[in-house]
Amino acid sequence: MNLEKVIFGFFIVLAATLNFGFVIGDIERPELHNVYEMAAALIVSLIATVLKFGDRTQIGAIHLATSLVADLQLLAAAMVWGYAEHVANTGLTPSTMSSIVSLSGGALFANVISVVILIAETIMQRR
Amino acid sequence: MNGTPTSTIFLVLRRLRTPLIVLIVIFSVSVLGLTLMPGPPDPNGGSMPRLSFFHATYFISYTATTIGFGEIPYAFSEQQRLWVTFCIYLSVIGWAYTLGTVFAMLQDKNFLNAVAAQRFARQVRHLREPFYLICGYGEAGHLICQALDELGYRAVVIERDEAKVGDLELQSYSADMPALCADAGQPDTLILAGLTSRYCRGVIALTNDDSTNLAVAIAARLLAPSLHALCRAEHAETAANMASFGTRHIINPFEKFGEYMALALHSPAAYNLLLWLTGLPGTTVTRHREPPEGKWVLCGYGTFGRVMTEALENAGLPVTIIDRAAPLAATHSWIKGDGTGGEALRAAGIADAVGIVAATASDVNNLSTVVTARELNPKLFTVLRQNHVANRALFDAFESDFAMVPAEIVAHECIAILTTPLLAPFLAFVRQADDAWAETLLNDLTGRFGWDVPTVWSVSLNISQAPSVYRLLMRNAAELKLGELLRTPVTDRPPLACVPLLLLREGDPPRLLPGLEEPIRLGDQLLLVGSETAHKDLGLTLFNSHTLKFVLTGQDFPSGLVWEWLAARRQVRDA
């Protein structure tokens, strides 16, 4: 067992699960989507990205790309949230909430791809 | 770093993995903690809401980067201040660690090498003009780079010694010379340096190490078979090995000097002519004293000593060898000892000798030998082996008759091969010609052009090198004489300041010193010697049809459709 692989797999799966936990629930109801869960998903996603740095293989490149997509989507969601609460002062209207959750949903898709690649890589290695 | 340069961006990313994760963790812990701390009491009773993620991120961002705008959006509660104090120290540690890693990486040898190799590869890739690849920037490499620069060629240098690469950067060459500190024996390095580039005109392997030169030779043979490869070889085995797979130009400085010496003994004028023709551009050649016939003494029977002994004995001159070890063949007369002391020299019969060769690998010993020998016999002809160009001042002060500087010999030879391929067959004739012929030619040429090293160039009369002559000869079958072509394109058309040395025509034997009445044909190859101005003028004649017409007829013809038509009309009317 390789500790590095454990940490790597842990962060990738955690990023996907947190993201899933945040997204699940009625899309326009703010009380079903916790801000701390969103923050956790973003942070774990960032760490997962950094862990993927410096791998020059083809699979490593796809890994990094999916993570960057997830980061981008989650950052956009966080920015929409911050904008609605503090700049526009409209609060979390159903339309804002649904755009936040749909952006996070996009990130979830990227994270799922990440997990699929992880599984495919593991199966490919056969050891 | 092994051959292929690591992509720098990946190296940076890999090194920064840990610091970046530490930074993200510190940042997120700080922000999260700040959103959880209870706010200060509200004047209306109750307490202010806790900081949102937005405000917490904003606050931690400017606090962690030491900008410090104060407590925004409201004065903090005691709990929040406690947490912020903790965060400040935490973030300082995070930043210090990250910056420390970045700076350590920027000074890291591997990282710098990777960056340098990438920059070098980019420079070579972007070269859009012919260049020569030089492996080994030693003394010979330095001289060749200088000469190539003066001749207007580009060069790419691979050198193993970092100090020498630094030295190259300090030289003020007119063109930028990309240089890489790497082992030239690695094929990857050679490819990186443009061996397979279509702009590469030749490879010159000049390292001190015969095996590296051999590796360059074989790489050039296999990866770029059509390239000129010039390789230095100091041992006969290496030279034989290189020759076995078809390396075209193998340069052994000792052999070469042995040949020069033999030529100087056989025909001094031919030797001087050869020196004058192959000198480094921008230098002046002085006429050498002729080596006398009689008894010779040789100190140091190494690689060079062996070659010199052979050259002298082939000329029928007796040689006495002074060395600590006995020579392999017992036929040589040998004195055991050290040439630096008077004793061994006296024992070798220096008093009635005519010349001495100091051939050891130590410059100081060689100088000491000849100084002592000259004290014992002031009329001695001295041949000195100078191993390092840096000792030039000492050797100049001594004023030896022949100085054998391996670096200079290699450089002369390389320049001659690279710039004028026709020179080698001409020099082969010179070596075999008799002394009187060479003497006449030498006096003739130096009388006309002086002792400064002249411009020697070759011209092929084909569509790419002489388009105007090609068109003229293709269009009208008129005969063109060499003398008609070699005129200056100015009023009165005086003859160009150059002399044709050799004319090569397919199917015919080579013509030495072709006369000006010689008719020229397409496909002829000419070797010319003369002034730089003549070189440029001839180039103009060969490329520009109008200049050619003027040179041939002395008249300026109108150019352009309308003017040509008008001129033709006028001609008809006049006739």
Side-chain angles (χ1 to χ4, degrees):
Chain A
M1 200 177 75
N2 187 337
L3 183 63
E4 200 185 313
K5 293 274 175 236
V6 174
I7 294 173
F8 190 69
F10 171 78
F11 273 100
I12 287 175
V13 176
L14 188 63
T17 50
L18 284 170
N19 203 330
F20 178 73
F22 174 74
V23 169
I24 200 162
D26 204 348
I27 195 165
E28 51 183 44
R29 284 168 61 191
E31 66 270 27
L32 298 183
H33 305 282
N34 189 305
V35 68
Y36 288 103
E37 199 164 7
M38 161 102 196
L42 177 58
I43 289 158
V44 172
S45 181
L46 283 174
I47 291 177
T49 311
V50 175
L51 283 175
K52 290 168 179 177
F53 277 175
D55 185 351
R56 275 193 292 165
T57 60
Q58 176 66 21
I59 282 188
I62 303 285
H63 253 314
L64 185 58
T66 53
S67 252
L68 287 174
V69 170
D71 289 349
L72 200 70
Q73 294 254 341
L74 285 173
L75 273 176
M79 276 153 86
V80 170
W81 198 319
Y83 185 83
E85 286 268 23
H86 297 278
V87 185
N89 276 324
T90 52
L92 289 173
T93 60
S95 78
T96 330
M97 200 62 221
S98 49
S99 65
I100 291 168
V101 176
S102 65
L103 279 168
S104 317
L108 177 64
F109 191 69
N111 272 324
V112 168
I113 296 177
S114 237
V115 173
V116 171
I117 297 174
L118 184 72
I119 295 169
E121 203 184 356
T122 320
I123 292 172
M124 234 164 54
Q125 283 185 341
R126 292 196 201 119
R127 55 171 184 233
Chain B
M1 201 188 80
N2 43 11
T4 48
T6 322
S7 179
T8 11
I9 184 82
F10 281 113
L11 203 66
V12 171
L13 289 180
R14 194 171 302 177
R15 291 289 178 80
L16 289 185
R17 204 143 51 169
T18 326
L20 283 181
I21 288 179
V22 167
L23 217 54
I24 291 176
V25 169
I26 287 176
F27 214 82
S28 48
V29 166
S30 308
V31 170
L32 186 72
L34 202 55
T35 59
L36 295 176
M37 291 300 136
D42 196 348
N44 310 332
S47 68
M48 299 281 275
R50 291 185 295 186
L51 281 184
S52 69
F53 268 104
F54 176 77
H55 281 139
T57 311
Y58 175 57
F59 179 83
I60 292 295
S61 298
Y62 70 63
T63 309
T65 50
T66 71
I67 292 168
F69 282 153
E71 294 176 348
I72 295 173
Y74 47 67
F76 283 176
S77 69
E78 306 302 324
Q79 292 95 324
Q80 282 172 324
R81 285 185 183 155
L82 188 68
W83 179 250
V84 168
T85 314
F86 172 70
C87 292
I88 288 170
Y89 287 103
L90 204 61
S91 62
V92 165
I93 292 169
W95 280 114
Y97 174 55
T98 309
L99 290 179
T101 316
V102 169
F103 284 123
M105 189 183 62
L106 287 181
Q107 277 158 10
D108 184 76
K109 210 96 221 121
N110 285 330
F111 177 75
L112 291 178
N113 280 346
V115 171
Q118 280 212 319
R119 198 176 48 214
F120 172 76
R122 197 167 50 239
Q123 276 178 321
V124 173
R125 257 201 321 278
H126 291 180
L127 267 183
R128 284 285 175 274
E129 48 190 311
F131 66 90
Y132 289 100
L133 174 53
I134 296 171
C135 307
Y137 187 78
E139 287 158 349
H142 179 82
L143 288 171
I144 288 177
C145 283
Q146 260 177 345
L148 286 176
D149 193 53
E150 196 149 324
L151 293 166
Y153 290 100
R154 301 290 298 261
V156 170
V157 178
I158 305 176
E159 164 62 50
R160 202 183 210 155
D161 186 354
E162 212 169 320
K164 285 180 184 161
V165 175
D167 179 54
L168 173 80
E169 277 155 15
L170 293 179
Q171 300 289 328
S172 51
Y173 291 123
S174 57
D176 188 34
M177 280 194 194
L180 178 69
C181 180
D183 182 6
Q186 303 273 347
D188 287 342
T189 313
L190 288 170
I191 292 172
L192 198 69
L195 179 67
T196 49
S197 158
R198 64 200 177 94
Y199 293 101
C200 187
R201 285 284 175 278
V203 193
I204 310 172
L206 301 169
T207 63
N208 295 331
D209 181 22
D210 265 20
S211 62
T212 307
N213 292 342
L214 189 64
V216 174
I218 187 101
R221 179 74 186 75
L222 293 176
L223 296 175
S226 59
L227 275 191
H228 275 291
L230 283 75
C231 300
R232 173 183 187 158
E234 295 204 345
H235 300 286
E237 309 91 75
T238 320
N241 195 343
M242 284 177 181
S244 68
F245 53 80
T247 304
R248 257 182 278 173
H249 306 289
I250 302 160
I251 301 162
N252 182 336
F254 302 133
E255 290 276 350
K256 210 83 223 165
F257 190 77
E259 275 173 32
Y260 285 176
M261 186 72 191
L263 185 65
L265 286 165
H266 159 73
S267 162
Y271 170 72
N272 278 305
L273 183 61
L274 187 140
L275 274 192
W276 184 67
L277 287 173
T278 61
L280 293 174
T283 55
T284 305
V285 173
T286 44
R287 195 167 181 158
H288 283 271
R289 193 179 140 197
E290 293 161 20
E293 311 242 323
K295 196 180 137 188
W296 283 72
V297 175
L298 183 136
C299 303
Y301 191 69
T303 321
F304 179 55
R306 222 163 293 158
V307 171
M308 288 303 287
T309 313
E310 204 179 314
L312 289 166
E313 283 180 347
N314 282 349
L317 307 176
V319 182
T320 309
I321 295 164
I322 304 179
D323 202 311
R324 288 209 184 84
L328 290 174
T331 49
H332 303 290
S333 63
W334 167 60
I335 305 288
K336 187 182 168 83
D338 193 347
T340 50
E343 238 170 89
L345 288 172
R346 257 184 233 108
I350 197 76
D352 58 344
V354 292
I356 182 163
V357 183
T360 67
S362 154
D363 280 352
V364 176
N365 283 352
N366 286 347
L367 280 169
S368 147
T369 304
V370 287
V371 168
T372 318
R374 224 180 229 183
E375 267 169 22
L376 296 170
N377 182 353
K379 273 185 274 175
L380 274 181
F381 185 91
T382 50
V383 178
L384 248 180
R385 170 173 170 187
Q386 180 187 338
N387 297 288
H388 299 287
V389 173
N391 288 333
R392 166 167 298 211
L394 298 177
F395 284 78
D396 282 352
F398 177 72
E399 288 182 356
S400 67
D401 296 293
F402 266 16
M404 135 80 191
V405 193
E408 281 182 9
I409 289 174
V410 173
H412 278 238
E413 196 62 21
C414 287
I415 297 296
I417 292 171
L418 291 177
T419 55
T420 37
L422 284 189
L423 191 56
F426 179 74
L427 293 181
F429 285 119
V430 169
R431 288 202 184 99
Q432 280 152 23
D434 67 299
D435 195 35
W437 179 83
E439 181 73 41
T440 326
L441 183 60
L442 180 68
N443 287 339
D444 208 31
L445 291 175
T446 51
R448 220 171 134 189
F449 304 117
W451 279 95
D452 289 345
V453 172
T455 308
V456 183
W457 74 100
S458 27
V459 170
S460 296
L461 296 178
N462 53 26
I463 190 158
S464 65
Q465 284 190 33
S468 66
V469 175
Y470 180 85
R471 274 196 293 270
L472 186 80
L473 288 180
M474 286 303 270
R475 203 171 291 163
N476 19 2
E479 197 166 78
L480 194 56
K481 291 198 177 81
L482 189 53
E484 292 176 318
L485 199 61
L486 299 180
R487 285 178 179 277
T488 319
V490 296
T491 322
D492 295 341
R493 299 179 290 141
L496 277 178
C498 68
V499 173
L501 293 177
L502 184 69
L503 175 72
L504 283 187
R505 182 174 296 165
E506 243 185 71
D508 285 7
R511 280 153 228 238
L512 272 186
L513 302 174
L516 295 179
E517 290 304 308
E518 188 79 42
I520 54 171
R521 286 198 211 140
L522 285 181
D524 281 1
Q525 287 183 300
L526 272 173
L527 177 70
L528 298 131
V529 60
S531 66
E532 185 55 36
T533 343
H535 179 196
K536 289 201 176 114
D537 284 346
L538 184 63
L540 193 64
T541 310
L542 295 180
F543 273 92
N544 191 322
S545 291
H546 296 295
T547 317
L548 179 66
K549 263 189 198 166
F550 177 81
V551 162
L552 293 180
T553 62
Q555 285 176 336
D556 257 327
F557 284 96
S559 59
L561 279 177
V562 175
W563 294 114
E564 274 171 16
W565 178 68
L566 281 175
R569 269 181 63 116
R570 197 183 316 132
Q571 228 171 5
V572 169
R573 204 179 52 215
D574 290 353

